[in-house]
Amino acid sequence: MDKLNLGGIIKESIVDGPGIRFVLFAQGCRHNCPGCFNQELQAFRENAIYTVSQVLDMIDALPHLDGITLSGGDPFEQADAFGELAKACRSRRLNIWAYTGYTFEELIADPEYRILLEEIDVLVDGPFLFEEKDPLLPFRGSRNQRIIDVQSSLLSAPNVRLIRTTN
Ligand code: SF4
């Protein structure tokens, strides 16, 4: 079974997507965005190692969750293991959000990334751009980032279907 290398876990968050969410922070990211708010998660070093099964046990102990959010770091650098986790969570009727420094177009073109992409409901994509930073944006840090309905976009590619927010 695949293992996850994590920089942290928040078991109940209300700010990383709608509802109450279990948030996993991937260790490792190659985007190196100036102004990154999680710089300690950029290094590709072994941090906290969990099996997918261990994480599922923690999730199953929280029956009031609405979903899980994959953040980072960049979860697509561990697409196999996060894909396995996301698939198991979808079977539990949990909603899956993921944050990435890659664009949707980059992910859909690479079979290794698609393993995870195809298990996600909502993707917040693109690098954090300091010059486009806006603290008032819901669920994203800079204006270039998009909140994407992944399942609809996979069917309509190359057109990307966005989820509308109030800002
Ligand atoms: S993608 Fe996210 S974690 Fe990675 S460098 Fe950019 S802001 Fe930091």
Side-chain angles (χ1 to χ4, degrees), residues 29-33 36-39 42 72-74 100-101 126-128:
C29 179
R30 59 184 84 248
H31 300 290
N32 199 24
C33 309
C36 169
F37 35 87
N38 278 337
Q39 286 186 18
Q42 290 184 9
D74 196 318
T100 180
F128 170 69

Side-chain angles (χ1 to χ4, degrees), residues 11-14 17-22 64-68 94:
K11 291 188 175 180
E12 296 172 71
S13 167
I14 57 169
I20 303 172
R21 314 188 67 82
F22 191 98
H64 53 284
L65 291 174
D66 295 295
I68 69 166
L94 290 168

